[in-house]
Amino acid sequence: MKNPLNRRLPRELKSDIGKYIVIFIFLVATIGFVSGFLVAGSSMKTAFDESFDKNNIEDGYFVLDDKMTDELNTRLENQDIKLYENFYKEESYKNAAYRIYKNRNDVDKIELFEGEFPKQDDEIAIDRLFGENNNINIGDKAELDGRQYKVSGYVAFPDYTALFKNNTDMMFDAQNFTVAVVTDNAFDKISDKHLHYCYSYTFNDSSLTEQQKHDKNTDLKELIAKNAVMNNFVSELDNQAIHFSGDDIGSDTSMMITLLYIVIAIMAFVFAVTTSNTIEKESAVIGTLRASGYTKGELLRHYLLLPVVVTIVGAILGNVLSYTVLKDIVANIYYESYSLGPYVTLWNGYAFVITTVVPCIIMVIVNIFILSKKLALSPLKFLRRDLSKKEKKKVAKLPNFKFMTRFRLRVIFQNKSSYIVLFVGILFSNLILMFSLMLPPLLDNYKT
């Protein structure tokens, strides 16, 4: 004999199909976006962290007033570091500053984002974000030091993931400043009027702690200052152009997870209210089933099935969308702010637990808490459709107010539980409203 509870599932789903569809869509959108945010953020953060070894990012750089002497070079290399010439020249075009480098093969290796590295002396590759912000496309021309250069590609400098022209600047400027790369021969042809003798260095011992690096940087700075005219000295630890973007990627994770939990709690509450209404409509049937031997646990599992199934399906579909579509939307948010290199999407087990396992647990806990109280009544009460748990109390004696005032107060007292539920719902909706109202001015302010 088939279980009568299983036969009732299609009817219950059909009777509230509109509510289930709306909740399902909301779950898919919320879980998908939060999962996409976590997946894209963690993947880009991993790519950023791995770029230090992959591109051999410097441990610091310094700029001298003139080319380094052989004596100073020897004394510095005796400090257990490796030095690299990383000279650059600065030119301007259409009110934008171009910091031009030769291509690098040993330190701060440049990543190609789109197009090609310069092969001819009349070609130049510029920072991707600067190009997009100024509508400079691959194939366009730029005039620097009286020569025409064709943009051959978009690149990402690992030491300029945020385009700070000077490390002391309050904010980077991807609108009026860019780094660029040309061939060695083209670099030599550019005037030395704005040549900067920049030297990058890396520590030979890669196991140094941050404190040890700080101490060595201090010693190097003092040594250079005593033996040459130094215009600038920036360690990797203090370099905003390197670390600003890395510190920001994924920094909003806590806010996004909090938003997800608030939304899931609201959806669980909506599910519980919907199911409670179904229980009230089917109270006579429930009373008959209880009288026939069905336990409270069996009925509870029956009414939990639809909310849990809808949540699991919504979470799975949301994760599928996050790995296929939504993670690119989130990644583009970072790419519109920072000059990051290409990244590879990685599986994120933490995001799966946060956006799939935890929502299901929240859904189960909230529904069990509400439905177990609803199903705790005796079979006789269900048969009589008397779903009130409390015995009727004496009517509270009110002061000698006007009749309509006393009537309104009695309505409030008799429905106080409903008003409490309404208050909680308004509180949650206001939290979501605050998230939505805060976001546009926050983004506008950040953009400015």
Side-chain angles (χ1 to χ4, degrees), residues 205-260:
D205 184 0
S206 59
S207 63
L208 295 176
T209 64
E210 286 195 7
Q211 184 58 48
Q212 290 172 326
K213 288 182 179 180
H214 179 270
D215 294 340
K216 282 189 71 69
N217 286 325
T218 302
D219 294 339
L220 289 172
K221 187 175 181 180
E222 291 176 355
L223 177 60
I224 297 167
K226 291 177 181 178
N227 294 274
V229 179
M230 183 172 62
N231 297 326
N232 198 8
F233 183 97
V234 180
S235 68
E236 174 262 322
L237 297 173
D238 298 326
N239 195 332
Q240 290 198 90
I242 294 176
H243 286 288
F244 190 91
S245 58
D247 293 340
D248 183 54
I249 295 173
S251 61
D252 299 324
T253 298
S254 298
M255 183 186 75
M256 298 303 297
I257 292 174
T258 301
L259 176 62
L260 173 66

Side-chain angles (χ1 to χ4, degrees), residues 9 64-65 79 83 90 149 168 193 196 200 234-235 255 282 305 313 348 396 403-404 439-440:
L9 277 175
L64 302 181
D65 195 52
Q79 297 295 315
L83 288 168
E90 290 188 341
Y149 293 88
T168 54
K193 184 178 180 181
H196 296 260
S200 298
V234 180
S235 68
M255 183 186 75
E282 299 179 344
L305 186 60
V313 175
N348 190 327
F403 172 76
M404 287 306 297
L439 195 58

